[in-house]
Amino acid sequence: MYRYFFSSDPLGFPVPCLQQQKMNRDERREALQKQEHRGQWASKTEYVLVTAGNVVGLGNLWRFPYLCYKNGGGAFLVPYGLLTILCGIPLFLLESSYGQYTQEGFITCWRKLCPLAKGFGYGNLVIRLYDFTYIIVQTWALFYLVFSFRSQLPWASCQNTWNTADCVELQISDSPSTNMTNQTILTNRTTAAIEFWERRVLAMSGGIEDLGTVSWELALCLLVCWMFCYFSIFKGVRSSGKVVYFTATFPYVMLLILLIRGLTLPGAWKGIYFYLYPDLTRLANLKVWVEAGSQICFSFSVTTGGLIVLSSYNKYNNDCYRDCFWICLLNSGTSFVAGFVVFSVLGFMAEKQGVSVDTVTESGPGLAFIAYPQAAAMMPLSHLWTVCFFLMLIVLAVDTHFVSVETFLTSISDLFPKLFYKPRRHEMFALIICIIFFFIHLVLVTKGGIYIFQLIDHYGSTRACHYIMALCECLALTCGLGADRFMNIIEDMTGHRPPVYFKLCWKYIIPVLSLISLIVYLVDYKHIKINDWYIYPDWAYALGWTMTLSSVLIVPLFAAVQMCLTPGTFRQVG
């Protein structure tokens, strides 16, 4: 047990003064050994590419365009842009500066910043475990990619063994009467794309109570995904820093190709108009602003600890202040451009089917695995566009996933440096984690796996987690370290002193907005449903809230235990 008596270094940063202020020879040797095995980015380019790959992911491709459509089209850009300035960029700078200064993972960094907030790191650890489940999206995309090389795309035809009598193939015709017939048919029947997704890929059971058997094809795809993840991270930043030269840039090549193709489709501008047309009356709805704030947390990857770990591999004097603005601009710009790709295709589908755009779009997996494959099947050179799309989807998922695993491994290794920072230990640790979670995730490729995935997606890393984590992170800065001291630290590292508005955001604006968003979320809370008809049993909802609380409650509980066990005043403990 230790006790802190704070003094100040030249920057005004509180330095824990123990009875021995200088490290002895063994401690220095241990620190040098840790630094040697931990490593750093080989170049600034690697850091930028890895961080960009982490923040630019699947949420940019389907979540942002859907929210924009759902919440007033172009009007949604107003709260999104404003909250990017007030919350997204300040939190991004805060976390990347935390990591660069401490050179530690998202658990041990709080030893140097604010010991009372160490529970925040453990909460991040739990959230990271839930984030691992998103490898199933990469698995589905790989499955679709394999089927894209068939002579006939299986989601374009009803002549397959899994199709039912209610299946209908979309007829492409410019005849108004034919389009009206298509609209009537689709109202009462299901398309080939839906049946391929639900009956062939997922083989959906009746509910979470009936998990059924494991799909060996999906299990094989899952194994390939975990193997690729392992070989991306087994050498730490020395391997992941090289992988991103391809994985972080390739999606932009595919995005550009799909954008050009989408804009040349008939009816594309109908979809783009639907995407951008501002319904300004929606700005009066508080939920629109809350959803914009939620998208900021998802797309900027803040409050999950990943940015802390990635920046901890930087050199002390790296200009993280400038990096913050460029990466945030890249992230938001990618989301905006992805909207053109998605809605140009949806406008094309609406044109060909003779329906309105809002009847062909769907959020989440449905947009990526039903709407786009169905649209690609209606285009000339359909196999080419399908392969391009799913290659882009796979690479986007790869970046996000291996960064999640790498940040998890780094934070655990920093917690036990004597155990893990030795030759070959990181490789073995990474292999064990990948094997364990491969077997755990086999439950996601069962017939009831989609129900488990949706439950984890909704509760494991839900909005409540982001709001509470953002609130706690800012409180730790204000009450523990001090905003002024941290401004001095950033100036010392980068040579730039952040404007005073950053301090205002950290101390007042972000905590207030997080608290309001949390209250609105709880008041407006509704049980999750699948396809608007399946309702989970009560025990599943209880399990979901347990997942949410497992990452949230650990923050105040750890602080309370720390205060009870550590003698001294609140200021000395924190």
Side-chain angles (χ1 to χ4, degrees), residues 533-573:
W533 62 268
Y534 176 74
I535 300 177
Y536 284 86
D538 291 338
W539 64 264
Y541 292 121
L543 178 62
W545 276 106
T546 301
M547 287 189 288
T548 299
L549 296 177
S550 65
S551 59
V552 168
L553 290 183
I554 195 171
V555 180
L557 287 178
F558 188 92
V561 171
Q562 186 83 344
M563 291 184 66
C564 292
L565 297 181
T566 306
T569 64
F570 174 81
R571 180 66 178 174
Q572 289 170 337
V573 175

Side-chain angles (χ1 to χ4, degrees), residues 357-398:
V357 177
D358 61 330
T359 61
V360 294
T361 186
E362 186 179 350
S363 178
L367 178 60
F369 297 105
I370 296 177
Y372 198 95
Q374 184 173 281
M378 300 164 66
M379 302 177 193
L381 301 176
S382 56
H383 290 75
L384 173 62
W385 308 121
T386 302
V387 169
C388 288
F389 178 76
F390 285 111
L391 275 176
M392 180 180 68
L393 205 63
I394 290 171
V395 176
L396 282 173
V398 163

Side-chain angles (χ1 to χ4, degrees), residues 268-288:
W269 294 103
K270 178 181 178 181
I272 293 173
Y273 176 81
F274 193 90
Y275 168 48
L276 295 179
Y277 178 77
D279 181 7
L280 298 179
T281 59
R282 301 299 298 273
L283 294 179
N285 188 345
L286 188 59
K287 288 178 59 178
V288 174

Side-chain angles (χ1 to χ4, degrees), residues 237-257:
V237 294
R238 288 183 292 275
S239 56
S240 57
K242 302 300 182 291
V243 172
V244 291
Y245 280 100
F246 171 75
T247 59
T249 56
F250 179 77
Y252 286 97
V253 177
M254 292 294 100
L255 193 66
L256 179 61
I257 293 173

Side-chain angles (χ1 to χ4, degrees), residues 38 41 95 99 104-106 305-313 406-408 410-411:
R38 198 176 191 274
W41 299 117
E95 294 192 7
E104 299 280 354
F106 54 65
L307 294 176
I308 295 177
V309 176
L310 295 179
S311 59
S312 70
Y313 290 106
E406 178 61 37
T407 54
F408 173 85
T410 296
S411 296

Side-chain angles (χ1 to χ4, degrees), residues 255-449:
L255 193 66
L256 179 61
I257 293 173
L258 294 174
L259 175 63
I260 295 173
R261 179 58 183 135
L263 295 178
T264 58
L265 291 171
W269 294 103
K270 178 181 178 181
I272 293 173
Y273 176 81
F274 193 90
Y275 168 48
L276 295 179
Y277 178 77
D279 181 7
L280 298 179
T281 59
R282 301 299 298 273
L283 294 179
N285 188 345
L286 188 59
K287 288 178 59 178
V288 174
W289 293 81
V290 172
E291 291 203 339
S294 173
Q295 176 62 14
I296 293 297
C297 292
F298 277 104
S299 63
F300 282 74
S301 296
V302 293
T303 73
T304 60
L307 294 176
I308 295 177
V309 176
L310 295 179
S311 59
S312 70
Y313 290 106
N314 282 331
K315 297 178 180 178
Y316 178 82
N317 60 351
N318 175 64
D319 194 351
C320 59
Y321 180 77
R322 185 178 60 182
D323 297 343
C324 168
F325 288 98
W326 283 113
I327 296 174
C328 290
L329 179 62
L330 176 66
N331 178 55
S332 297
T334 303
S335 296
F336 185 67
V337 172
F340 285 92
V341 175
V342 170
F343 277 90
S344 62
V345 171
L346 295 178
F348 165 73
M349 290 184 64
E351 177 81 9
K352 290 300 182 181
Q353 297 177 31
V355 298
S356 59
V357 177
D358 61 330
T359 61
V360 294
T361 186
E362 186 179 350
S363 178
L367 178 60
F369 297 105
I370 296 177
Y372 198 95
Q374 184 173 281
M378 300 164 66
M379 302 177 193
L381 301 176
S382 56
H383 290 75
L384 173 62
W385 308 121
T386 302
V387 169
C388 288
F389 178 76
F390 285 111
L391 275 176
M392 180 180 68
L393 205 63
I394 290 171
V395 176
L396 282 173
V398 163
D399 261 352
T400 304
H401 180 69
F402 85 68
V403 168
S404 292
V405 179
E406 178 61 37
T407 54
F408 173 85
L409 296 176
T410 296
S411 296
I412 296 295
S413 299
D414 285 344
L415 196 59
F416 305 102
K418 293 182 179 179
L419 177 63
F420 291 109
Y421 287 125
K422 292 182 178 180
R424 303 294 181 185
R425 294 291 177 88
H426 184 86
E427 291 92 329
M428 293 301 299
F429 185 34
L431 180 61
I432 292 171
I433 290 297
C434 290
I435 292 175
I436 290 175
F437 278 93
F438 164 72
F439 284 106
I440 291 176
H441 290 159
L442 285 177
V443 73
L444 298 176
V445 296
T446 61
K447 294 183 178 180

Side-chain angles (χ1 to χ4, degrees), residues 176-186:
S177 59
T178 304
N179 288 339
M180 187 60 67
T181 302
N182 284 343
Q183 186 175 5
T184 304
I185 290 175
L186 292 176

Side-chain angles (χ1 to χ4, degrees), residues 220-239:
L220 185 59
C221 292
L222 179 66
L223 177 62
V224 171
C225 294
W226 270 112
M227 288 176 62
F228 189 88
C229 175
Y230 172 74
F231 287 110
S232 298
I233 64 172
F234 78 110
K235 289 291 186 181
V237 294
R238 288 183 292 275
S239 56

